[in-house]
Amino acid sequence: MSWIAAIFSLFISAAAIAQAALPPTPPGKVLAELLEAFNSGDTAKAEAFDRTYQPQDPIAGMAALRGQTGGFELVKVETSDATTLIAFLREKAGDRFARLQLSLSGGVEPKLTGFRLEPVAPPPGLGAKRLSLAEALAALVKRQDEAAVADRFSGALLVAKDGMVVLEKAWGLADRERKLSVTVDTRFRIGSMNKMFTAVAILQLVEAGKLGLDDPIGKYLVSYLNKDIAEQVTVRHLLTHTGGSGDIFGPEFDRNRLKLKTIDDYIALYGERAPLFAPGTAQRYSNYGFILLGALIEKVSGLSYDDYVEKKIFEPSGMTSTGSLPETETVPGRARGYVNQGGKLVPNTDTLPWRGTSAGGGYSTVGDLWRFVDALQAGRLISKKMLDQAISTQVQMFGLGFAVVGEGNWKGFGHNGGAPGMSGDLHVFPKLGYVLVSLSNLDPPASTRPLEFIEARLPETP
């Protein structure tokens, strides 16, 4: 998913909120119970809270999130009455703020009827202090030094300003069993960040007249199994996650993980499914949609997906350390991923797909991802006119294959990637000239935290 989608997902699911003074209203009392249940880390208390207030929408298990977030603290109550509480929260371990709206039904035994958290800009006077570029970079390095010592970060960061790399640094271990350190050239698995390469490949083919954004995919995939998908889902729908094409992960993937070796294998497994909703009427993040985009690339280019992106994206960008070779092949400098299981970091080997695809799962370095952005913005991959479309909001938080977030000078684009034992983020802010890359071989949100930290402190003038 995109980095903003990950942020929304984290906030919406984040029930770990720090204990704070709350109004003595019914919603305030309910929130106090929630705080106690989730801040305690006691699963039994969390489950009891669920059974009492929202059995139809359980949030038990979110206590584990406290270990990632450090909880949230209440910083300001905006509204509080008998049925509603609106307040601002701040994440303890980061620099994010959210606006919470908690609603209850009336009656002797009130039930939660609404629990909405959405990210917002810091209320006046509550955000981190803006620093000079040098000060912000020094603060980031200090923070990451501390995070590495505490084993909360293992990875590499790159910060560029106006086309110049101003920070490129690594922390932690790329292979814990062999005691190999991370370097700035370590190749990390990047999850869904591959989707940016797929999107650019599609847009190249659109500019070449080989695809139409509003063509149904059945125009090219003429033998596609489900007629509704073939006839109603367009290339644009797939790029904006509005085609209803569904996901690939779940029990079927787990059973077939090592058998899914080609794009055709994925389509054979999932191609009979009908759309989850009428294409174009809703948005739901779809890994399978990007599998279909990979099939389109192969069909109209005559090349395999991997050969196409190597020739048309990686080579023109100077990306010599990026690819999607199978996990069975030895890739020099590729980090092992580590999953937190009961407080112990163990390899993520049993969760990995056979190889990366057009939906994600490849590997790259912080330097290669910066070179990708440089080539993209310089017009070496697609025209600047097409890039403007790709990084302009099309539907909600998405452009054409890119996440699009922010406003004013901080309007930016990029993508993230996250799965067990891998975490990656690319944030680009064209008006300010910043390119920020973070890659880690730990669980999400390991890569997100340092970028949130420095974005809250960087100078905000061009």
Side-chain angles (χ1 to χ4, degrees), residues 86-367:
I86 300 175
F88 288 101
L89 308 173
R90 175 170 53 201
E91 185 181 4
K92 280 188 170 183
D95 291 281
R96 292 182 292 189
F97 285 76
R99 188 172 184 267
L100 164 71
Q101 182 166 333
L102 178 69
S103 303
L104 297 182
S105 63
V108 178
E109 296 183 359
K111 300 292 183 183
L112 273 177
T113 57
F115 187 85
R116 178 177 175 79
L117 277 158
E118 55 186 355
V120 294
L126 293 177
K129 180 183 176 183
R130 292 288 173 186
L131 305 172
S132 69
L133 178 58
E135 289 171 334
L137 294 174
L140 176 63
V141 169
K142 180 176 183 294
R143 180 194 187 280
Q144 294 310 106
D145 287 345
E146 294 169 353
V149 169
D151 223 2
R152 295 193 307 270
F153 185 76
S154 173
L157 300 178
L158 182 148
V159 178
K161 168 68 172 169
D162 298 330
M164 299 288 290
V165 175
V166 294
L167 174 71
E168 191 174 15
K169 190 171 174 59
W171 293 262
L173 294 174
D175 188 318
R176 290 167 181 261
E177 288 70 33
R178 294 191 293 164
K179 307 298 183 185
L180 298 179
S181 296
V182 174
T183 74
V184 294
D185 296 318
T186 295
R187 302 179 187 193
F188 292 92
R189 294 172 185 83
I190 59 174
S192 284
M193 296 175 82
N194 273 48
K195 288 184 173 68
M196 294 183 291
F197 310 146
T198 302
V200 171
I202 288 289
L203 297 177
Q204 287 177 341
L205 294 168
V206 169
E207 289 200 301
K210 295 182 178 181
L211 284 173
L213 280 174
D214 296 306
D215 288 342
I217 67 168
K219 179 177 178 178
Y220 310 97
L221 306 179
V222 294
S223 59
Y224 191 77
L225 297 172
N226 185 276
K227 278 193 171 184
D228 288 337
I229 292 281
E231 295 174 359
Q232 299 174 31
V233 174
T234 68
V235 176
R236 188 187 302 273
H237 287 150
L238 298 180
L239 287 169
T240 57
H241 300 280
T242 57
S245 47
D247 209 346
I248 58 176
F249 297 114
E252 282 187 299
F253 175 83
D254 294 339
R255 286 192 296 269
N256 294 279
R257 180 172 62 89
L258 299 181
K259 299 176 183 177
L260 296 168
K261 298 183 177 182
T262 67
I263 287 174
D264 287 344
D265 290 339
Y266 283 89
I267 292 177
L269 182 60
Y270 299 110
E272 293 183 357
R273 297 185 306 191
L276 296 175
F277 47 80
T281 64
Q283 184 182 60
R284 185 178 298 182
Y285 191 81
S286 175
N287 283 294
Y288 185 60
F290 274 71
I291 292 289
L292 293 177
L293 289 172
L296 290 172
I297 292 166
E298 294 189 338
K299 182 67 174 179
V300 304
S301 74
L303 299 173
S304 72
Y305 172 80
D306 294 289
D307 286 346
Y308 183 93
V309 295
E310 176 69 32
K311 181 179 180 180
K312 299 292 187 178
I313 295 175
F314 301 157
E315 289 182 7
S317 302
M319 300 167 68
T320 59
S321 298
T322 302
S324 294
L325 288 174
E327 293 295 334
T328 54
E329 295 194 25
T330 299
V331 177
R334 182 164 62 181
R336 298 192 76 180
Y338 293 90
V339 182
N340 190 323
Q341 290 185 356
K344 182 179 179 181
L345 291 172
V346 299
N348 66 346
T349 309
D350 292 340
T351 70
L352 297 171
W354 188 75
R355 71 175 303 159
T357 68
S358 51
Y363 50 83
S364 190
T365 66
V366 290

